[in-house]
Amino acid sequence: MKFISAIAYGLVILSSSLFAGESPSYSIDDQFPGGNVKIAAQDKNVVLFSADSRGPFKGECDNRYWCFRVKNAQGQKLRFQLLEHANSNIFGHVTARGPLVSRDGGLTWNWLSPGKPQNLPNSFEYSFGPNEKEVYFAPFYPYSSPNLKRFIDSLDQSKGNFRAETLCRSEEGKDVLSLRFGNANSPKKIGILITSRHHANETVSSYLIEGLIREALSGSEDGNYILSNADFFVVPMVDWDGVEKGGQRQTRKEHDYNRDYAEAKFASVQAIQKQTLEWAKDKHVIAIDFHANTLDIRGKRIRDPKEWAHNMLFLIYSKESRAYGQRISSLLREFTQGHSILYDGSSDSISNDVNPAMSKGWFQQNLHPLFAATAEVPSCPASGMPHSENEFREFGSLYLKALVQFIKDLPEKPFVGTDTMQTPPVLRPVPRYLQDAERKFQSAPSLTVTPGGRLWVAWHTGSFGSEGEENCHVAASSGDGGKTWTPPLFAVDVPGPLRTLDPGFWTDPNGKVWLFFAFLYGQWDGRGGLWVMSPDDPENPNSEWSAPRRICHGFLKNKPLVTRDGRWLFPVEFMAAKPHNYSRGKMVPMEKLPPDAVFSFPEYNDADVFESLDRGKTVHFLGKAHVPPKDRSCYEHMIVERKDGSLWMLGRTKYGIGESFSKDGGKTWSEMVPSKIPHPDSRFFIGRLKSGRLLLIKNGPMDRRTKREQMMAFLSEDDGKTWKGGLMLDERRGVSYPDAVQDHNGVIYAVHDRNRTTDHEILIHRFTEEDILAKKPVSQVCRLKTIVNQAGITP
């Protein structure tokens, strides 16, 4: 594509007398820091101009930036016509608000038409006042070395060990500055790397960085916190020479600073690589490279991602940074809500590959950060009122506040890497992104009761809205028999593509409370891992908890069985013989597991039973019930010991509930075959009560198979041959995954989830055997459908 020639363009839009009159008395130049213009033609009334690409490029470059001054035009009215590139979605424009104008040598800027938009296609008119000897024009806020030096001089440099240092000397012999401040010995070892102006013309990102730094050094509560808990390394102008010369975003590899990281040629990139490698050695790094995206012209949001024309700030990060990236995105939405610069996270994108030639790719591969991203800032949205310099600075301040909350939410030792053998973090208090208002999915609750009568419930939840790597688990407690519940007291959450799965509560015969959960890579890595933790004082909702401890491969959803001879049997599950690809949920394409995350244990690919002979200190494989491949679903099996000493296993299958038997204590099992209990392909509950009866909680009545609806409770006095009663706990649809426990007074508590992706409810029921047999509430203690927790709402 070529530029339209100045003469041809003039014949179309101007009269035949154009440029035929007197020579202009004014002059136009760009001989100042950040200046850029090409004058195609001018006379006393009209100026034809374009942006100067500033480089011997073959092919296109992004020449959207121009900035020039007009001298000695007092009392005149001039029309300035920008020569458009044929691809007008990418290249330079005059916005509907006109250009920015400075009448004080570039110190302050104001929009030419801040109120009513102009109706002049890619042009503007300006009437020079009688005293306006020198006026500057630009399409969006310029920012060059004088701005940066004025900003540094305005800071309170006594705070945070602030220092402006020379990072290196540029190719033209200029000092490239870096700004250093904060605490290099912070308790959480957080390092925040900020870079900007890899592309010289992306000027407005500099104003955001100003706001971020000023907030850090302001003496505010947030500023003091981050100065104490993070060490900053800021390079505000990577392409120093390009900024000074009014350079463009340069798209050819050998001229683009942002794609110079594979084999660095530029001094500033080399210096960043060398110095940050040393700086990051003992730190958990947050690395953000700020850019500015293309103009939004005349209020039209151009949504084609190929054009990079957006009206909002957005993040681009790799899948390795995905979990922490989504947390930062969530916090940015929260802290910037209502601000004039839009940030809603909808335009964030995740790269499937890491390009080591690009800044964020090199940061990701070499600094091993918690989070590395490119952050795009809107250069000049024309939708609504145009932004001011201070609005960009305010946004930077809010960005700093979001980072503060992100650091506060991190555990004492942030989780890094993808090794499922590493101890997962327990987050207490529950961070904002996992509080009730933020979660979008929850299911599979489990409960227990302590010897003193306190109830504990844990469930599977997450911030994404469906099954996937964002899932974690949380726990709540009740001290009044389930009438009222605490909000989640802690969470176990690991950065994706790792997740926790299937929490299960259990109180052992000695009164010790156990919380089981799985920890695995993605959807299923072939190995998983069963972890346990216990409260120091189960009667205290604010008790300290033991650190999670891994006891075996696989995972466990249902409660262990303690046999008459004192053995503890764990119904451990392996999802499949081979690992699955993983996804973040139904909306995200499946991704292949990396080779170092793949394991295979085909010998465990059935309904397994693990055994402990030392009260849970060590656990080993005992036996398994074979489930025919055509019948396999989630096994989710449970075991009860019958009166004759044999073991009865019930498991989830595609046809409903299957059964298997063992007569040798669990070493060998019969093949799983259909039981006489009708049920959907979903979890159920069975357990022995203090009376000797078996309790069964399932979907629907005993004479037919239903969907996930009608949660009901039944009793058996003959080890499951026949069933009595039928108390309707919840008649509604979308009810599933029951779990139950009985307290020392004989009161039964049962929990289940309801509409896990819409209503997000965890419910509890309190009843007795008398209520079950009567098929309706008859006891004084009976209380049904109490909400333990509902996600997606503000408490």
Side-chain angles (χ1 to χ4, degrees):
M1 291 180 285
K2 298 180 180 179
F3 284 106
I4 302 172
S5 73
I7 300 300
Y9 196 96
L11 291 174
V12 173
I13 64 170
L14 300 174
S15 68
S16 59
S17 62
L18 179 62
F19 310 126
E22 303 174 9
S23 299
S25 60
Y26 60 89
S27 64
I28 301 175
D29 77 286
D30 58 7
Q31 300 306 300
F32 53 89
N36 178 302
V37 73
K38 271 187 175 181
I39 302 300
Q42 66 183 102
D43 74 353
K44 66 177 182 178
N45 298 312
V46 179
V47 177
L48 297 181
F49 74 98
S50 65
D52 188 349
S53 63
R54 295 282 161 90
F57 304 120
K58 298 176 182 177
E60 296 181 6
C61 71
D62 183 349
N63 62 341
R64 61 194 169 109
Y65 173 74
W66 45 268
C67 183
F68 60 86
R69 64 184 168 191
V70 179
K71 296 180 179 180
N72 301 317
Q74 301 95 307
Q76 300 182 52
K77 181 178 181 179
L78 299 179
R79 177 169 178 171
F80 298 86
Q81 180 70 52
L82 175 66
L83 299 180
E84 291 189 53
H85 191 280
N87 189 343
S88 59
N89 280 341
I90 299 179
F91 295 87
H93 299 279
V94 178
T95 76
R97 306 292 174 173
L100 283 157
V101 181
S102 176
R103 302 170 181 86
D104 57 7
L107 291 176
T108 60
W109 296 82
N110 295 285
W111 292 100
L112 178 59
S113 299
K116 184 178 180 180
Q118 295 188 103
N119 190 28
L120 299 172
N122 253 357
S123 65
F124 62 93
E125 293 179 344
Y126 187 81
S127 297
F128 293 81
N131 298 317
E132 292 182 348
K133 296 182 179 179
E134 184 176 275
V135 180
Y136 291 69
F137 299 95
F140 41 86
Y141 290 103
Y143 194 103
S144 56
S145 62
N147 301 78
L148 178 62
K149 290 173 181 176
R150 284 195 297 269
F151 170 67
I152 292 173
D153 290 341
S154 72
L155 294 173
D156 183 352
Q157 300 184 20
S158 65
K159 289 187 173 68
N161 191 28
F162 181 90
R163 56 210 185 273
E165 301 176 345
T166 297
L167 177 76
C168 64
R169 302 279 285 183
S170 72
E171 279 65 33
E172 296 191 5
K174 304 291 180 61
D175 287 339
V176 180
L177 296 182
S178 66
L179 309 181
R180 306 292 298 276
F181 53 95
N183 182 7
N185 299 309
S186 63
K188 291 185 179 180
K189 297 293 183 182
I190 300 296
I192 299 179
L193 172 63
I194 293 174
T195 57
S196 182
R197 308 296 290 279
H198 280 86
H199 299 139
N201 67 351
E202 296 176 352
T203 60
V204 295
S205 61
S206 295
Y207 292 94
L208 187 150
I209 291 174
E210 274 195 9
L212 188 152
I213 294 174
R214 190 174 294 282
E215 180 64 33
L217 300 176
S218 67
S220 67
E221 181 179 347
D222 286 328
N224 291 338
Y225 178 89
I226 208 162
L227 290 182
S228 298
N229 289 278
D231 187 30
F232 282 82
F233 192 126
V234 182
V235 184
M237 294 180 179
V238 178
D239 181 7
W240 191 278
D241 293 337
V243 170
E244 292 299 277
K245 296 168 65 177
Q248 300 290 341
R249 172 179 175 177
Q250 300 166 348
T251 54
R252 287 184 64 199
K253 180 179 178 181
E254 60 267 35
H255 296 290
D256 191 334
Y257 278 71
N258 196 43
R259 288 157 179 78
D260 187 48
Y261 280 76
E263 298 177 2
K265 300 176 182 178
F266 294 111
S268 59
V269 175
Q270 293 173 356
I272 289 170
Q273 291 177 324
K274 180 179 179 180
Q275 294 183 33
T276 58
L277 281 172
E278 183 64 29
W279 167 80
K281 277 184 178 179
D282 61 343
K283 293 181 176 66
H284 300 296
V285 173
I286 301 166
I288 305 175
D289 183 24
F290 283 100
H291 289 252
N293 53 49
T294 305
L295 303 180
D296 176 16
I297 304 307
R298 305 193 182 283
K300 177 183 177 183
R301 294 186 187 177
I302 304 171
R303 288 294 187 179
D304 185 349
K306 294 179 181 179
E307 309 300 350
W308 297 109
H310 295 266
N311 188 34
M312 58 191 70
L313 185 148
F314 59 96
L315 298 172
I316 308 171
Y317 46 86
S318 64
K319 60 186 179 182
E320 288 82 359
S321 286
R322 178 156 52 202
Y324 282 133
Q326 288 174 333
R327 295 180 191 180
I328 288 178
S329 178
S330 175
L331 289 168
L332 283 171
R333 288 197 304 272
E334 175 185 347
F335 280 89
T336 63
Q337 187 174 11
H339 195 268
S340 58
I341 299 177
L342 291 173
Y343 183 87
D344 62 5
S346 63
S347 293
D348 288 358
S349 61
I350 301 171
S351 304
N352 287 325
D353 62 337
V354 176
N355 184 351
M358 297 181 68
S359 55
K360 71 175 174 62
W362 188 89
F363 297 156
Q364 185 70 56
Q365 284 197 348
N366 294 277
L367 304 183
H368 307 292
L370 299 175
F371 173 69
T374 295
E376 295 280 355
V377 185
S379 290
C380 170
S383 299
M385 294 299 293
H387 302 322
S388 68
E389 299 147 288
N390 282 335
E391 285 176 290
F392 287 109
R393 294 184 181 107
E394 289 169 4
F395 198 95
S397 173
L398 298 173
Y399 215 106
L400 188 281
K401 293 176 182 292
L403 291 177
V404 167
Q405 189 62 52
F406 175 77
I407 295 170
K408 287 181 177 179
D409 288 345
L410 289 172
E412 185 175 349
K413 294 182 179 179
F415 191 97
V416 293
T418 58
D419 184 4
T420 59
M421 302 297 284
Q422 184 178 350
T423 303
V426 178
L427 309 179
R428 184 169 184 167
V430 173
R432 291 191 181 198
Y433 69 90
L434 288 179
Q435 291 177 4
D436 292 347
E438 294 296 321
R439 299 195 314 275
K440 299 178 178 65
F441 168 84
Q442 55 190 42
S443 69
S446 178
L447 87 161
T448 197
V449 62
T450 67
R454 175 166 288 278
L455 294 168
W456 287 91
V457 172
W459 61 93
H460 188 202
T461 186
S463 58
F464 185 73
S466 64
E467 293 278 3
E469 69 180 55
E470 293 308 305
N471 294 160
C472 62
H473 75 251
V474 295
S477 185
S478 172
D480 58 7
K483 292 181 182 179
T484 61
W485 290 84
T486 67
L489 296 168
F490 62 84
V492 181
D493 187 30
V494 188
L498 301 165
R499 63 173 177 148
T500 58
L501 177 72
D502 284 351
F505 261 126
W506 180 57
T507 301
D508 71 22
N510 301 306
K512 180 179 179 180
V513 171
W514 297 68
L515 177 58
F516 303 92
F517 63 90
F519 180 23
L520 59 158
Y521 192 113
Q523 195 69 20
W524 172 240
D525 58 26
R527 178 182 68 177
L530 178 59
W531 293 71
V532 297
M533 53 189 286
S534 297
D536 295 344
D537 179 6
E539 309 298 343
N540 178 6
N542 298 311
S543 172
E544 295 295 322
W545 285 68
S546 63
R549 175 173 64 91
R550 193 179 194 277
I551 61 173
C552 65
H553 296 333
F555 56 95
L556 174 149
K557 176 59 199 167
N558 298 311
K559 292 174 168 53
L561 168 70
V562 179
T563 63
R564 296 171 193 168
D565 57 4
R567 295 177 301 125
W568 292 11
L569 302 185
F570 294 77
V572 171
E573 182 170 353
F574 278 68
M575 196 174 292
K578 296 181 180 180
H580 302 321
N581 292 341
Y582 70 87
S583 102
R584 288 191 302 132
K586 297 177 182 178
M587 297 172 62
V588 180
M590 300 296 281
E591 298 171 356
K592 292 183 178 180
L593 288 165
D596 61 356
V598 172
F599 302 90
S600 183
F601 294 93
E603 65 273 24
Y604 295 143
N605 187 30
D606 270 308
D608 301 312
V609 180
F610 281 55
E611 179 186 51
S612 176
L613 302 177
D614 53 11
R615 299 180 179 179
K617 292 181 181 178
T618 60
V619 178
H620 61 270
F621 175 77
L622 177 64
K624 65 179 182 178
H626 176 63
V627 182
K630 66 181 178 62
D631 299 331
R632 288 175 182 169
S633 179
C634 301
Y635 299 124
E636 293 176 350
H637 48 298
M638 284 164 265
I639 308 168
V640 294
E641 187 173 21
R642 300 198 297 181
K643 295 174 183 178
D644 63 4
S646 64
L647 301 177
W648 184 28
M649 178 192 293
L650 294 177
R652 173 182 170 181
T653 64
K654 290 180 179 178
Y655 54 74
I657 298 177
E659 64 181 2
S660 175
F661 300 90
S662 175
K663 295 182 180 180
D664 59 4
K667 293 180 182 178
T668 60
W669 293 82
S670 62
E671 181 172 282
M672 188 168 285
V673 296
S675 72
K676 296 180 181 179
I677 304 172
H679 203 255
D681 181 359
S682 184
R683 185 174 179 262
F684 54 92
F685 172 84
I686 189 169
R688 183 79 65 181
L689 298 174
K690 297 180 186 299
S691 66
R693 292 167 170 151
L694 289 179
L695 169 67
L696 174 68
I697 302 179
K698 64 179 291 289
N699 290 107
M702 292 300 300
D703 60 352
R704 63 186 175 89
R705 182 182 183 182
T706 66
K707 297 181 179 181
R708 293 189 178 190
E709 59 190 17
Q710 297 181 324
M711 191 64 69
M712 302 181 70
F714 300 89
L715 294 174
S716 176
E717 296 177 346
D718 54 9
D719 279 348
K721 294 179 182 178
T722 61
W723 296 92
K724 297 180 179 180
L727 176 63
M728 182 67 72
L729 302 178
D730 195 330
E731 75 285 355
R732 297 172 293 183
R733 295 182 178 180
V735 291
S736 61
Y737 272 62
D739 190 32
V741 70
Q742 188 178 33
D743 71 12
H744 66 281
N745 292 319
V747 177
I748 301 167
Y749 296 90
V751 293
H752 63 80
D753 61 55
R754 175 176 172 267
N755 290 337
R756 52 185 60 173
T757 61
T758 55
D759 292 289
H760 317 114
E761 288 180 348
I762 304 296
L763 298 115
I764 191 165
H765 313 274
R766 170 181 165 136
F767 52 95
T768 67
E769 293 175 64
E770 182 185 10
D771 299 312
I772 298 174
L773 293 172
K775 301 183 181 181
K776 62 181 180 179
V778 294
S779 70
Q780 293 182 350
V781 303
C782 188
R783 185 176 60 248
L784 305 180
K785 291 190 289 192
T786 300
I787 292 180
V788 174
N789 186 271
Q790 186 171 15
I793 62 171
T794 301

